[in-house]
């Protein structure tokens, strides 16, 4: 029952979300999170009319919440950037060049991992498209993205101040 409802309503919920977010990837994230919530809370057992009403209200609420979080992040990054830059140690000031930091992160990734990561995050390609272009499985694409994220997390743990500066500027621009 859940799979049938997912297949039936997923595209429609993405269209509704697109009216709020105007970014296809963000819309898919919001709708996928919604269906995970439906599954986790057993809402797929609702009668059809109640289920549709629940989905529509939830996708709207989730989009509004997403936009609020995004606005808070932009406000925090604008407020925190001057404080962070003033507090960075002298020997790391030269690393404030965000492009250099991004290049440093990308250089730590294996070539195929970096290529997949750039296709996904910069070129905004879907996993299926990447898999087709590179002639690899979608699971392999997922593995490369997971590895890239682990590399970024490891870098963040080793360089928390630098990573925070990068996060506030470059990664937001990349849609991460």
């Amino acid at each position: 029952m859940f799979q049938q409802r997912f297949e039936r309503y997923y595209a429609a919920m993405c269209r509704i979300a697109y009216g709020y977010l105007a970014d296809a990837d963000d819309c898919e994230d919001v709708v996928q999170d919604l269906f995970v919530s439906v599954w986790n809370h057993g809402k797929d057992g609702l009668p059809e009319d109640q289920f549709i009403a629940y989905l529509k209200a939830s996708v709207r609420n989730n989009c509004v919440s997403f936009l609020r979080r995004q606005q808070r992040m932009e406000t925090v990054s604008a407020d925190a950037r001057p404080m962070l830059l003033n507090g960075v140690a002298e020997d790391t000031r030269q690393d404030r060049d965000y492009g250099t930091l991004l290049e440093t992160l990308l250089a730590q990734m294996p070539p195929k991992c970096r290529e997949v990561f750039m296709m996904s995050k910069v070129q905004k390609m879907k996993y299926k498209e990447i898999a087709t272009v590179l002639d690899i499985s979608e699971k392999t694409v997922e593995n490369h993205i997971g590895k890239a994220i682990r590399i970024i997390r490891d870098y963040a743990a080793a360089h928390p101040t630098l990573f925070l500066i990068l996060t506030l500027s470059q990664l937001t621009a990349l849609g991460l």
Side-chain angles (χ1 to χ4, degrees):
M1 180 184 232
F2 175 81
Q3 182 176 351
Q4 294 166 339
R5 283 183 162 178
F6 175 84
E7 291 170 358
R8 185 178 315 140
Y9 297 115
Y10 179 81
M13 294 303 111
C14 285
R15 284 191 298 275
I16 291 171
Y18 193 79
Y20 290 94
L21 305 179
D23 180 276
D25 290 333
D26 291 341
C27 294
E28 288 183 9
D29 288 344
V30 166
V31 173
Q32 288 171 5
D33 288 344
L34 168 61
F35 275 100
V36 167
S37 176
V38 165
W39 175 262
N40 287 338
H41 294 99
K43 297 292 185 181
D44 57 319
L46 290 172
E48 196 71 17
D49 57 335
Q50 290 178 8
F51 183 74
I52 294 169
Y54 175 81
L55 284 180
K56 288 179 179 178
S58 294
V59 77
R60 177 182 50 85
N61 292 339
N62 291 354
C63 287
V64 170
S65 295
F66 178 87
L67 291 170
R68 284 184 181 144
R69 279 190 308 273
Q70 200 171 38
Q71 185 177 19
R72 267 188 299 235
M73 285 297 293
E74 289 170 6
T75 302
V76 167
S77 72
D79 292 343
R81 190 174 293 127
M83 292 184 297
L84 288 170
L85 294 179
N86 289 335
V88 176
E90 188 62 40
D91 62 339
T92 61
R93 287 185 189 265
Q94 64 205 0
D95 290 336
R96 278 190 283 152
D97 177 358
Y98 307 127
T100 303
L101 290 173
L102 182 58
E103 288 175 20
T104 301
L105 276 171
L106 293 174
Q108 293 181 14
M109 296 178 192
K112 195 66 147 186
C113 180
R114 178 176 45 246
E115 181 180 17
V116 169
F117 181 80
M118 294 296 288
M119 292 172 86
S120 173
K121 301 304 179 187
V122 175
Q123 298 173 9
K124 304 287 188 193
M125 294 175 69
K126 302 207 179 314
Y127 288 7
K128 185 176 249 178
E129 295 171 325
I130 296 168
T132 302
V133 168
L134 297 178
D135 196 28
I136 58 178
S137 73
E138 283 185 63
K139 187 65 177 170
T140 303
V141 172
E142 289 176 22
N143 290 339
H144 282 303
I145 295 295
K147 185 173 192 164
I149 290 170
R150 280 190 301 280
I151 289 168
I152 292 169
R153 285 183 184 148
D154 291 345
Y155 186 87
H159 305 88
T161 304
L162 294 176
F163 187 76
L164 185 57
I165 292 168
L166 178 64
T167 300
L168 295 175
S169 60
Q170 294 294 315
L171 293 181
T172 302
L174 292 175
L176 297 177

